[in-house]
Amino acid sequence: MTTHVEITPALIAEHGLTPAEYDYLISVLGRTPTITELGVFSVMWSEHCSYKHSRKHLATLPTKGPAVLHGPGENAGAVDLGEGWACVFKVESHNHPSAVEPYEGAATGVGGILRDIFAMGARPVALFDALRFGPPDEARNRWIIGGVVHGIADYGNCVGVPVIGGEFSIDPCYTDNCLVNVMAIGIARHEELMTARAEGTGNLLVYYGNATGRDGIHGATFASAELNENSADDRPCVQVGDPFMEKKILEVTLELIRSGKIVALQDMGAAGLVCSSTEMADKGGLGLRMDLDKVPQRAANLSAYELLLSESQERMLAVVAPENLEAVGAILAKWDFETCVVGETTDTGRFVVEHHGVVEADIPLPAICTNVPKTEPVDAAPPQLDVRDWTDIDTDAFDWGALLLAALHSPHFASKRWIYEQYDHQVQTNTVARPGGGAGVLRIAGWSGLLAGTLDGNGLWCMLDPYEGTKCVTAEAARNLVACGARPLAATNNLNFGNPRKPAGSWQFVEAVRGLGDACRAFDTPITGGNVSFYNESQRMAVFPTPVVGMVGVIDDPAHLTPPAFQSEHDVVILVGPRATHCGASRVLRDLTGDLVGPAVTLDLETEKRSHAAIRALIVEGLLTAANDLSDGGLLMALAEMSLGSHGGMGCEVVLPEDEERACALLSEEPSRFVVTCARESADAVIERCEAMGVRAKRIGSVKGGTFAIQAVCTLTLFELFESWENPL
Amino acid sequence: MSARWAVVVFPGSNCDQDFVRALRDVMRVDVRVVWHKDSVPDDVDCIAVPGGFSYGDYLRAGALAAMSPVMESVRRHAERGTLVIGVCNGFQVLCETGLLPGALMKNRALRFRCHDAYLRCELDGGPFAAGQLAKGDTIRLPIAHGYGNYYVPADQLESVRKQIAFTYCDALGEVSDRANPNGSVLNIAGVTNEAGNVLGMMPHPERAVEALLGGTDGLCIIRAMNRWAENTAVR
């Protein structure tokens, strides 16, 4: 029973295809598509699946390196950790779903990224979340914030993967489009790694997990368009998560992979059954025949269109040789899963779908996987920005003590304890460095090193200059790893942007990718995968261009692990890195004035690398007691964090460098800078080592219990700092 | 003879491997994993019912697990004196099974909470403390739960009072409402059965067995059980 639907120009437009794309579709097919085929083309050609706006630029990123085992194109990237261990990691966004249905949107975002990791054969061991919202004094923003945090907590806690780090950032630009980016890290032995490349004809497509319903149909297309006042009507596009099912799928999937009885594996994420099946077949240069009557269904009268496009969660598709079906079925049965053979691989290179005995789709695979239409080039031009120079602000009039307390009380800088205490951050008993400080650090049983991870972004820096800003963001991620004693190994990225069809969106994206590439090349951290999220834009505003960089690093010797907060009274506080020259792009000034305060922060890659080398050398020599990088909020916030994060309340007494203007010294977010502490007797050695490596180092004070004092700036008690800082939403 | 341990695994358990690692890699004792459809073998001396979300916590935390075949065998073991420890979701399962009194409700603040908590030992010797913890000792263990608010009806409170194993306290050992992370009655963090061979507790001793991860206080409880079982092997 074919669903006869006339293909009208309106229907084509509704499916997000331009007239030129539709002409291409006709030329590929040689006839008018069925409604099912139109749906398939629509999702497979959506930005979410095809990266049609971004592919050309992403191709410029460095993706190779001695440690890379699997680069972009797989479910997730994989890097070698040594001793036969591999780290699998990737970041993914769930921005659009979270903006209309925060709880389920964020929860299913966690589910999706976890499946990408275990589909590679790795056990997920850690999550990081980078969250960006509009100001919580608006009720709707509060609803979104609460829902997102709760959704991540409920899903991650139930599956049993600890959230060990992340960021929480507030800016009015994220009011209509919140950003919810989640990075997952998994661990596997090299020989356990699995790919999503089908091989051999006559192999069976085995479907397991949740039955298919109507939820999430056209989620990929939905994620590839601007949100508008009717977006709430798209709520049925948001899927509903079931973390218990996910946990069972995780365990059975790892058991299946370890059994050696499956050829390839992919989760059904965006564009569901279509995308997972066709991508695996296309990678192997094969074809597919699928019988939709065999797909388990939990809603009545699902059409072929709905079955193929549904984004019901917690579903997997494995390619299995016929002789292994029984063994696979036995493992699935142990976990109470049915074994559903829904199709087989063929040598035709075509995607043939039957439903109720009728061929509903017959499409050449390359047309939906590799030879997707490229979009016509869009004019790229920088947006007109209304930037106010920082020198216009009368910083001399600031009451710095009051300013510090107010900033600490703001949701952007306030303690994130209320968030990370809702996440089980210790399950699996690997968490060495808990959330709330710098990088998250894990041990891996049976491996001699420690694994560090971080997820960082800064829309404000990138709004002022997407190229320099993205370089600075990448550098900040690397600094976070370096500060904890790690050597940065590889990176993943989540590129959150506005509408790429507009000149400003297009320009920002191209500039950011260029910055990301240059920085990753300089730091030898290849990009092993990532995610692009466009259309984070409403009729009234677009988000700041917000590339978020996830990075993993290795602490070769656990003795190198360095805490981010003050450790001992009388330790010397030393500022490492170049002199502060301006306080443009300052988060504090942005929050204070509501303006874009310039100039942009810029990064000299060689200076940054020298700073990294100096800190690493000091840590390896065992000279440092603590290290923290300077980022948003500058030295002022770095010192406050180091005090507030210390056990037993250790403050500091600091004198600012005499060669820096006071506001710059306190607020500058210029890169390549660290604050470190060391024992008194090591201070001269620390400064000498830095200077010998061409890095400026200045002794600025010492750790002192109970007080937070910066000469000619503020004298506060730690209690006052705490009182302001502990401000749960 | 060294004690033999079993760790029960339900679909949805997620602290089972943490327990196995604490026992096998840190304590270096014999441990086997028992799937929910199977029975705990007769020659086991100590049983751990781990944390997580057994059966997705559907219906009620621990309610479905209480009906599983494996729990029938745990009940038989408990009746003949085998030591049983249920942690977090395992505590909920033991309450639902009827091996322990009371029930665990949603945290007072209606939020999941994960952080370190201080506990006062209320046990005076016995299988979970002997030789390791004295009454009044303070230990620090991680908690991570959304449903840890322990409740017993008023008419059972007096009998339960004698079975309290641990209470939430502050760093100085003071049992106060401020130190109560979830609203539990009498600050109860863990209770035993009347016979004293079954312990349920919300805090995670298996998460505090290595200094690298922030503490080793959990070893006291596991060690005490191990020694007790070695000395009194009922098998």
Side-chain angles (χ1 to χ4, degrees):
Chain A
M1 165 189 72
T2 316
T3 11
H4 280 296
V5 177
E6 201 190 339
I7 309 299
T8 62
L11 195 62
I12 295 163
E14 222 173 90
H15 279 76
L17 296 179
T18 64
E21 285 171 342
Y22 185 70
D23 289 345
Y24 177 60
L25 187 164
I26 296 285
S27 75
V28 165
L29 222 48
R31 59 177 164 78
T32 306
T34 65
I35 178 70
T36 305
E37 288 169 332
L38 183 66
V40 168
F41 278 103
S42 163
V43 290
M44 292 302 289
W45 286 357
S46 71
E47 181 62 38
H48 200 82
C49 291
S50 74
Y51 293 98
K52 60 187 171 188
H53 286 281
S54 51
R55 193 177 271 209
K56 181 177 118 197
H57 304 289
L58 297 177
T60 65
L61 294 173
T63 58
K64 296 197 166 57
V68 177
L69 300 171
H70 288 294
E74 284 297 335
N75 282 310
V79 288
D80 178 26
L81 295 177
E83 300 167 27
W85 291 98
C87 167
V88 175
F89 71 112
K90 192 183 172 188
V91 61
E92 204 158 83
S93 64
H94 240 208
N95 302 337
H96 289 81
S98 302
V100 293
E101 175 47 60
Y103 179 87
E104 294 295 350
T108 54
V110 174
I113 191 66
L114 289 176
R115 286 194 295 284
D116 282 338
I117 301 302
F118 63 72
M120 293 288 293
R123 177 170 289 279
V125 293
L127 288 165
F128 294 75
D129 56 349
L131 311 177
R132 294 184 158 72
F133 303 102
D137 38 12
E138 278 183 43
R140 190 167 186 285
N141 290 338
R142 281 184 88 91
W143 171 70
I144 292 175
I145 292 168
V148 165
V149 171
H150 195 198
I152 292 172
D154 277 3
Y155 206 98
N157 292 348
C158 184
V159 182
V161 182
V163 181
I164 64 165
E167 15 162 49
F168 177 84
S169 184
I170 298 291
D171 194 282
C173 77
Y174 303 114
T175 298
D176 287 356
N177 290 269
C178 62
L179 300 185
V180 177
N181 296 177
V182 181
M183 177 168 81
I185 294 181
I187 294 298
R189 301 290 300 167
H190 283 198
E191 62 274 15
E192 293 167 342
L193 289 176
M194 187 77 207
T195 71
R197 180 194 167 94
E199 278 165 8
T201 58
N203 282 338
L204 306 174
L205 288 180
V206 175
Y207 170 127
Y208 62 94
N210 256 336
T212 299
R214 283 199 170 80
D215 46 339
I217 290 170
H218 271 301
T221 321
F222 161 64
S224 304
E226 285 181 19
L227 295 183
N228 56 45
E229 69 270 20
N230 299 323
S231 290
D233 301 342
D234 286 330
R235 218 171 281 173
C237 267
V238 180
Q239 315 84 337
V240 176
D242 178 352
F244 173 57
M245 180 60 90
E246 177 96 345
K247 169 70 174 166
K248 288 208 307 173
I249 289 183
L250 187 173
E251 297 298 340
V252 79
T253 298
L254 293 181
E255 206 168 320
L256 285 171
I257 291 171
R258 309 286 195 257
S259 77
K261 301 290 186 199
I262 55 179
V263 178
L265 187 72
Q266 190 152 355
D267 84 291
M268 292 185 232
L273 196 50
V274 183
C275 192
S276 55
S277 61
T278 56
E279 281 188 3
M280 280 197 290
D282 187 63
K283 275 181 196 153
L286 301 170
L288 274 184
R289 194 196 55 76
M290 203 185 281
D291 181 358
L292 294 178
D293 299 337
K294 304 281 171 52
V295 173
Q297 300 169 31
R298 63 178 148 92
N301 303 321
L302 287 169
S303 67
Y305 181 102
E306 290 169 319
L307 283 164
L308 286 173
L309 269 52
S310 163
E311 292 185 4
S312 293
Q313 295 289 290
E314 294 97 16
R315 302 178 303 158
M316 302 294 286
L317 198 62
V319 179
V320 179
E323 63 271 22
N324 289 330
L325 186 64
E326 203 181 322
V328 165
I331 295 171
L332 287 169
K334 176 188 162 189
W335 290 89
D336 300 324
F337 285 113
E338 273 183 68
T339 307
C340 306
V341 177
V342 297
E344 61 180 3
T345 55
T346 64
D347 58 3
T348 62
R350 296 185 79 84
F351 177 53
V352 181
V353 180
E354 288 182 37
H355 190 220
H356 300 325
V358 175
V359 174
E360 290 280 355
D362 184 354
I363 302 170
L365 269 175
I368 47 174
C369 294
T370 34
N371 300 336
V372 301
K374 303 196 175 40
T375 49
E376 300 119 55
V378 180
D379 287 335
Q384 291 298 314
L385 297 183
D386 188 7
V387 179
R388 178 176 176 194
D389 198 81
W390 74 275
T391 49
D392 287 353
I393 298 166
D394 183 10
T395 53
D396 288 336
F398 283 176
D399 174 345
W400 287 98
L403 178 144
L404 170 61
L405 293 179
L408 283 175
H409 197 66
S410 73
H412 182 91
F413 287 110
S415 167
K416 310 302 182 291
R417 198 159 66 85
W418 70 273
I419 301 176
Y420 64 76
E421 282 191 355
Q422 294 186 60
Y423 304 148
D424 187 341
H425 49 260
Q426 288 173 297
V427 61
Q428 296 192 30
T429 51
N430 293 319
T431 309
V432 175
R434 300 181 189 184
V441 180
L442 289 173
R443 65 94 178 264
I444 296 161
W447 180 53
S448 62
L450 296 174
L451 182 62
T454 185
L455 188 60
D456 296 286
N458 191 312
L460 182 56
W461 296 350
C462 298
M463 186 65 181
L464 286 156
D465 185 333
Y467 171 73
E468 290 294 340
T470 307
K471 276 164 62 188
C472 288
V473 166
T474 313
E476 192 205 333
R479 278 202 305 280
N480 265 326
L481 297 182
V482 168
C484 80
R487 143 177 84 75
L489 193 63
T492 178
N493 63 94
N494 206 126
L495 304 172
N496 306 281
F497 286 79
N499 187 339
R501 301 188 201 213
K502 293 182 183 170
S506 178
W507 178 81
Q508 288 169 332
F509 180 76
V510 173
E511 286 293 289
V513 172
R514 195 164 66 84
L516 180 66
D518 283 353
C520 284
R521 264 183 294 273
F523 304 145
D524 273 331
T525 49
I527 299 273
T528 62
N531 176 253
V532 176
S533 172
F534 281 133
Y535 304 100
N536 293 291
E537 184 160 347
S538 65
Q539 271 124 349
R540 57 177 188 155
M541 64 174 89
V543 298
F544 287 166
T546 311
V548 170
V549 176
M551 220 179 254
V552 293
V554 170
I555 302 176
D556 294 302
D557 179 347
H560 297 163
L561 176 65
T562 307
F566 294 141
Q567 297 296 307
S568 318
E569 185 111 15
H570 309 306
D571 273 1
V572 174
V573 181
I574 297 171
L575 179 62
V576 177
R579 194 174 76 89
T581 61
H582 69 79
C583 40
S586 151
R587 169 52 54 186
V588 172
L589 294 184
R590 160 85 175 159
D591 287 350
L592 211 60
T593 62
D595 297 331
L596 274 176
V597 179
V601 282
T602 58
L603 175 68
D604 179 67
L605 291 165
E606 290 309 313
T607 305
E608 178 77 22
K609 280 164 70 177
R610 274 200 303 277
S611 288
H612 295 186
I615 298 296
R616 281 187 44 72
L618 295 170
I619 287 174
V620 169
E621 258 194 86
L623 289 170
L624 301 187
T625 49
N628 191 10
D629 78 301
L630 296 198
S631 58
D632 52 346
L635 177 66
L636 184 64
M637 282 302 159
L639 291 171
E641 283 166 13
M642 292 179 87
S643 302
L644 292 161
S646 67
H647 292 292
M650 268 171 277
C652 55
E653 261 184 359
V654 163
V655 181
L656 296 176
E658 66 287 349
D659 59 347
E660 293 181 16
E661 202 276 337
R662 182 169 57 178
C664 296
L666 290 166
L667 297 182
S668 169
E669 299 188 9
E670 290 165 284
S672 316
R673 289 146 50 88
F674 294 85
V675 184
V676 302
T677 64
C678 63
R680 266 188 297 187
E681 57 275 20
S682 310
D684 291 342
V686 167
I687 290 167
E688 275 168 28
R689 295 288 192 290
C690 287
E691 285 172 350
M693 296 181 80
V695 176
R696 174 178 177 267
K698 276 202 166 306
R699 186 178 181 138
I700 57 169
S702 57
V703 176
K704 188 160 192 247
T707 59
F708 184 84
I710 304 175
Q711 195 182 73
V713 174
C714 65
T715 303
L716 296 161
T717 65
L718 265 195
F719 183 75
E720 287 173 289
L721 256 57
F722 265 110
E723 284 258 294
S724 297
W725 187 58
E726 282 297 346
N727 178 30
L729 280 179
Chain B
M1 189 192 291
S2 130
R4 292 182 196 173
W5 282 75
V7 175
V8 171
V9 182
F10 306 103
S13 293
N14 63 28
C15 303
D16 48 320
Q17 288 310 307
D18 302 357
F19 236 120
V20 168
R21 256 161 43 173
L23 293 167
R24 190 192 56 204
D25 300 344
V26 181
M27 293 287 297
R28 312 240 167 236
V29 298
D30 177 39
V31 53
R32 55 193 101 169
V33 170
V34 183
W35 186 232
H36 69 125
K37 296 174 185 173
D38 301 331
S39 294
V40 177
D42 282 346
D43 61 353
V44 157
D45 309 303
C46 301
I47 300 171
V49 187
F53 291 74
S54 55
Y55 305 91
D57 272 359
Y58 289 142
L59 189 58
R60 219 171 37 243
L64 294 177
M67 308 293 173
S68 63
V70 76
M71 285 313 293
E72 190 46 46
S73 72
V74 171
R75 190 201 315 272
R76 284 197 306 272
H77 262 287
E79 280 163 7
R80 53 180 258 230
T82 306
L83 300 185
V84 179
I85 180 170
V87 171
C88 203
N89 190 229
F91 185 12
Q92 296 160 344
V93 173
L94 293 177
C95 289
E96 288 286 342
T97 317
L99 284 170
L100 291 174
L104 292 141
M105 306 190 301
K106 196 160 198 167
N107 291 351
R108 172 164 65 176
L110 307 181
R111 273 182 181 175
F112 191 96
R113 291 191 70 162
C114 176
H115 55 77
D116 282 354
Y118 288 96
L119 305 180
R120 191 184 123 99
C121 177
E122 307 288 350
L123 295 164
D124 194 1
F128 303 102
Q132 298 290 326
L133 289 168
K135 189 169 179 158
D137 279 358
T138 303
I139 58 173
R140 185 167 53 98
L141 295 181
I143 60 166
H145 58 249
Y147 286 77
N149 181 354
Y150 185 72
Y151 173 79
V152 276
D155 58 340
Q156 291 173 30
L157 206 53
E158 274 320 299
S159 62
V160 165
R161 220 181 260 277
K162 299 178 209 110
Q163 293 163 225
I164 300 174
F166 298 98
T167 46
Y168 297 107
C169 65
D170 62 20
L172 302 172
E174 195 71 37
V175 178
S176 66
D177 192 57
R178 263 182 73 102
N180 188 338
N182 50 31
S184 291
V185 60
L186 301 176
N187 277 42
I188 291 174
V191 290
T192 68
N193 61 348
E194 220 179 322
N197 65 319
V198 178
L199 167 68
M201 60 192 297
M202 290 314 293
H204 289 268
E206 83 285 5
R207 289 188 184 185
V209 295
E210 289 171 271
L212 178 68
L213 305 183
T216 58
D217 285 358
L219 280 174
C220 307
I221 299 166
I222 300 171
R223 260 196 208 121
M225 290 175 70
N226 217 40
R227 297 259 170 85
W228 189 273
E230 280 169 11
N231 295 336
T232 63
V234 286
R235 76 179 105 100

